[in-house]
């Protein structure tokens, strides 16, 4: 039997799934609105696109020239090896700056749904590159098409410099085809495993020969490296290009089903519901893969607000960190610590573990990570000492993440927004009110009794602060 869900709970659930939670200020303005109106406003707000602008093309050009010089000349001040180390260090700093800029944008709440979709597509089209400018281009491409047509997004990412480099398509030439790019496009980006043959992969790889990129990240078609011979793909034979292959993949309804299933598992429930997914994927296919239309159907469906769905999903590390920063207006003295926390929690933006991306849901949690997640609010609120170290992976690109100044995370929270939002609530009702705002699942009376006994009742502000700190340290706060 389903529990009756209040409109306030539905709004909170919508903001948790379509964004990173609801700030105290936003809560006051949307709590009374209908779901349909709240959803419409999310889409209107996300019409705006805020591209990241951290790295410039000129910086990359100078870096290329410096690298080229370092291979040719010795100087009195630095050997070529030292210059290369400096270039690598600069690149790492640029990737780090890009990471922090994206976190800041997510925390700001601007175009919240677009940013959440960008995060989803970042995991779907998982990619790594030590070229920060290329990663910035890719991230902005994901953001631009995040709520557009999936076909446009697929085409843009398939011609993206970072992706073509990551999946070795620069080495895909007519005399020696490299199948990596073609395989991942079908297995991970569109159709899913077992919906194509090895022959399809071989012929798709031939069609993608000549898909390359320039130093500035621009895609270009290298005619001399393209295999112009006949190819057979999904039972059809012709002189197919890479564009033809992607078009044929989009004509296959399995692509709509695969993408819809993945979106359902990310935004709704880890366990797919075949009936709902059939209906959504049919609509997605008929709409020419309109992502915004698909998301609106999900966010306005009655089943999205069932009690079995609310609080059933484990927050990803980025969702957890962004949500805490947004709710409590947390500022870090050393922004390096934001990336350190991503590493400890197992999700570093712009650095997915492999082309398959992060394993979502329950995979985020084990006994040690749950303990750290529950201690995290106290670490941030009290600038406590962090005893845990990020796991070493032998990766030169992430080894720097353990290099922090000191053992504490110096951070400050601004409690004003939360205190203002709940100052008029009676003291005896404050715990229930805060639990309703911060948690997606109800807590037991025994938990409430314990929290209330330990609460600081010296003033209203102190009460709100101590109750909130206790609530976000519960396992229930890990769910949304």
């Amino acid at each position: 039997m389903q529990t009756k869900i209040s409109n306030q709970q539905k709004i909170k659930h919508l903001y948790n799934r379509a964004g990173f939670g609801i700030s105290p200020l936003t809560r006051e303005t949307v709590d009374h609105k209908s779901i349909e109106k709240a959803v419409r406003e999310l889409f209107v707000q996300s019409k705006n696109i805020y591209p990241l602008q951290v790295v410039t093309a000129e910086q990359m050009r100078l870096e290329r020239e410096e690298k080229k010089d370092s291979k040719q000349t010795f100087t009195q001040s630095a050997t070529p090896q030292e210059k290369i180390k400096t270039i690598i260090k600069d690149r790492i700093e640029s990737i780090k700056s890009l990471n922090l800029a994206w976190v800041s944008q997510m925390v700001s709440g601007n175009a919240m749904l677009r940013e959440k979709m960008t995060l989803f597509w970042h995991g779907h089209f998982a990619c790594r590159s030590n070229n920060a400018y290329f990663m910035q281009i890719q991230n902005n491409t994901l953001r631009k098409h995040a709520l557009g047509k999936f076909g446009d997004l697929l085409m843009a990412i398939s011609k993206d410099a970072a992706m073509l480099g990551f999946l070795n398509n620069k080495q895909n030439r007519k005399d020696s085809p490299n199948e990596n790019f073609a395989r991942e496009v079908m297995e991970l980006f569109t159709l899913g495993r077992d919906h194509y043959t090895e022959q399809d992969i071989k012929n798709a790889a031939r069609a993608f020969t000549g898909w390359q990129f320039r130093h500035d990240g621009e895609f270009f078609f290298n005619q001399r490296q393209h295999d112009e011979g006949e190819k057979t793909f999904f039972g059809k034979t012709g002189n197919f290009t890479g564009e033809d292959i992607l078009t044929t993949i989009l004509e296959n309804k399995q692509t709509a089903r695969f993408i819809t299933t993945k979106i359902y598992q990310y935004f709704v429930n880890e366990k797919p519901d075949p009936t709902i997914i059939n209906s959504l994927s049919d609509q997605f296919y008929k709409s020419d893969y309109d992502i915004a239309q698909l998301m609106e159907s999900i966010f306005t469906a009655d089943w999205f607000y069932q009690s079995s769905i609310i609080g059933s999903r484990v927050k990803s590390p980025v969702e957890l960190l962004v949500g805490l920063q947004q709710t409590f207006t947390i500022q870090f003295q050393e922004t390096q610590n934001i990336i350190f926390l991503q590493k400890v929690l197992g999700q570093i933006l712009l650095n997915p573990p492999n082309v398959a991306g992060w394993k979502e849901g329950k995979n985020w949690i084990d006994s040690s990570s749950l303990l750290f997640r529950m201690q995290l609010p106290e670490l941030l609120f009290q600038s406590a000492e962090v005893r845990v170290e990020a796991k070493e992976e032998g990766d030169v690109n992430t080894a720097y993440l353990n290099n922090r100044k000191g053992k504490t995370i110096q951070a400050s929270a601004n409690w004003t927004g939360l205190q203002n939002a709940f100052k008029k609530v009676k003291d005896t009702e404050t715990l229930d009110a805060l639990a309703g705002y911060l948690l997606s699942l109800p807590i037991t009376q025994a938990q409430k009794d314990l929290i209330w006994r330990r609460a600081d009742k010296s003033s209203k502000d102190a009460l709100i602060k101590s109750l909130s700190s206790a609530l976000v340290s519960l396992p229930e706060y890990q769910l949304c």
Side-chain angles (χ1 to χ4, degrees):
M1 184 178 173
Q2 291 289 335
T3 308
K4 185 172 173 55
I5 308 297
S6 69
N7 191 68
Q8 196 178 50
Q9 288 174 297
K10 289 180 180 178
I11 294 284
K12 185 180 68 178
H13 176 60
L14 171 66
Y15 271 70
N16 279 341
R17 298 294 178 91
F20 305 92
I22 186 166
S23 70
L25 187 61
T26 306
R27 170 182 166 273
E28 288 183 4
T29 61
V30 299
D31 254 5
H32 62 283
K33 294 180 180 173
S34 69
I35 287 299
E36 290 72 19
K37 190 169 184 182
V39 170
R40 273 201 305 278
E41 287 183 355
L42 283 178
F43 279 95
V44 169
Q45 185 206 40
S46 289
K47 282 184 178 175
N48 297 320
I49 302 174
Y50 302 96
L52 299 184
Q53 296 176 320
V54 175
V55 195
T56 65
E58 179 63 10
Q59 279 177 270
M60 288 300 103
R61 187 187 68 75
L62 292 173
E63 186 183 282
R64 279 199 311 277
E65 288 182 0
E66 197 174 344
K67 188 176 180 182
K68 190 177 175 184
D69 289 345
S70 71
K71 290 179 179 175
Q72 295 173 344
T73 60
F74 282 88
T75 67
Q76 291 182 339
S77 58
T79 65
Q81 290 78 12
E82 287 170 335
K83 286 183 106 177
I84 292 290
K85 279 185 183 177
T86 301
I87 291 170
I88 291 173
K89 186 180 175 187
D90 289 346
R91 286 186 166 186
I92 288 172
E93 286 300 314
S94 295
I95 292 277
K96 197 168 76 174
S97 298
L98 196 61
N99 178 314
L100 294 172
W102 191 10
V103 171
S104 178
Q105 189 142 297
M106 287 190 267
V107 172
S108 76
N110 294 329
M112 183 179 73
L113 174 58
R114 184 173 293 277
E115 292 305 319
K116 186 64 171 280
M117 292 302 300
T118 304
L119 179 61
F120 168 77
W121 292 121
H122 176 53
H124 180 75
F125 292 109
C127 175
R128 286 196 306 255
S129 170
N130 61 10
N131 187 319
Y133 185 61
F134 286 3
M135 288 306 291
Q136 179 175 273
I137 291 174
Q138 183 182 92
N139 192 262
N140 287 333
T141 297
L142 296 174
R143 183 170 290 103
K144 176 183 175 184
H145 296 287
L147 289 163
K149 294 292 179 75
F150 177 72
D152 295 337
L153 174 59
L154 177 64
M155 189 65 75
I157 288 298
S158 297
K159 293 184 174 180
D160 174 77
M163 186 61 81
L164 288 171
F166 185 50
L167 295 181
N168 314 111
N169 210 61
K170 216 167 182 180
Q171 291 81 45
N172 186 19
R173 301 164 182 240
K174 62 181 177 183
D175 295 331
S176 57
N178 184 310
E179 298 170 5
N180 197 23
F181 179 77
R183 183 182 299 279
E184 304 306 3
V185 164
M186 286 189 271
E187 179 178 330
L188 297 173
F189 301 165
T190 57
L191 296 162
R193 196 172 287 177
D194 301 328
H195 293 283
Y196 49 84
T197 66
E198 283 300 309
Q199 207 57 32
D200 290 328
I201 293 172
K202 290 181 187 300
N203 283 305
R206 290 175 57 211
F208 287 121
T209 50
W211 280 35
Q212 297 180 3
F213 56 92
R214 302 186 196 281
H215 287 308
D216 61 1
E218 282 291 314
F219 171 83
F220 87 101
F221 178 60
N222 188 341
Q223 184 85 41
R224 290 180 304 169
Q225 294 300 334
H226 180 63
D227 181 343
E228 295 184 343
E230 279 199 339
K231 308 153 187 95
T232 298
F233 184 68
F234 281 4
K236 297 177 182 176
T237 301
N239 181 16
F240 297 135
T241 63
E243 288 88 348
D244 295 328
I245 296 298
L246 296 180
T247 299
T248 303
I249 288 173
L250 290 168
E251 287 171 354
N252 189 331
K253 285 187 175 180
Q254 170 56 26
T255 299
R257 168 175 282 278
F258 180 73
I259 299 299
T260 303
T261 302
K262 204 160 176 185
I263 283 178
Y264 180 92
Q265 289 181 296
Y266 187 88
F267 287 92
V268 185
N269 198 321
E270 266 188 272
K271 188 177 177 183
D273 183 314
T275 305
I276 292 174
I277 287 174
N278 277 342
S279 172
L280 289 173
S281 64
D282 279 350
Q283 174 202 327
F284 192 38
Y285 185 79
K286 288 174 184 171
S287 72
D288 192 23
Y289 292 91
D290 190 318
I291 301 165
Q293 196 177 110
L294 174 64
M295 299 313 299
E296 186 173 358
S297 296
I298 290 172
F299 295 144
T300 54
D302 289 340
W303 45 256
F304 183 68
Y305 300 95
Q306 288 180 352
S307 58
S308 58
I309 299 297
I310 295 175
S312 65
R313 184 171 171 276
V314 177
K315 294 176 186 173
S316 71
V318 169
E319 289 172 315
L320 178 67
L321 288 170
V322 171
L324 280 168
Q325 284 186 258
Q326 202 173 63
T327 304
F328 299 100
T329 322
I330 293 172
Q331 298 291 327
F332 288 84
Q333 194 167 322
E334 294 285 339
T335 51
Q336 166 73 36
N337 282 319
I338 297 174
I339 303 179
F340 170 75
L341 290 174
Q342 289 177 31
K343 183 164 172 63
V344 173
L345 291 166
Q347 186 182 30
I348 309 169
L349 289 173
L350 310 176
N351 191 45
N354 51 52
V355 68
W358 294 280
K359 292 180 178 177
E360 297 281 345
K362 293 172 185 168
N363 292 293
W364 292 122
I365 296 282
D366 58 31
S367 54
S368 62
S369 66
L370 178 59
L371 182 62
F372 182 72
R373 277 171 170 247
M374 291 165 60
Q375 293 172 337
L376 184 58
E378 184 185 352
L379 294 174
L380 299 180
F381 297 154
Q382 300 184 15
S383 295
E385 181 177 329
V386 180
R387 297 180 184 278
V388 66
E389 291 292 328
K391 194 187 298 180
E392 292 291 353
E393 297 165 336
D395 184 345
V396 67
N397 293 315
T398 58
Y400 70 96
L401 295 171
N402 268 334
N403 302 328
R404 297 177 298 121
K405 292 178 182 176
K407 291 186 175 180
T408 61
I409 294 180
Q410 296 290 335
S412 60
N414 184 341
W415 293 87
T416 307
L418 198 66
Q419 287 165 339
N420 285 341
F422 290 89
K423 64 184 177 185
K424 292 181 181 174
V425 180
K426 291 179 184 174
D427 283 3
T428 52
E429 296 173 3
T430 304
L431 175 54
D432 281 334
L434 284 168
Y437 166 61
L438 294 168
L439 307 178
S440 293
L441 293 175
I443 54 175
T444 64
Q445 190 57 49
Q447 286 174 302
K448 289 181 187 178
D449 292 343
L450 184 60
I451 291 172
W452 185 253
R453 276 202 304 276
R454 293 177 175 177
D456 182 347
K457 305 178 185 76
S458 59
S459 69
K460 185 69 178 185
D461 284 351
L463 181 65
I464 291 171
K465 190 174 174 180
S466 63
L467 291 177
S468 300
S469 300
L471 288 167
V472 296
S473 298
L474 293 174
E476 285 80 356
Y477 186 69
Q478 306 305 319
L479 300 169
C480 67

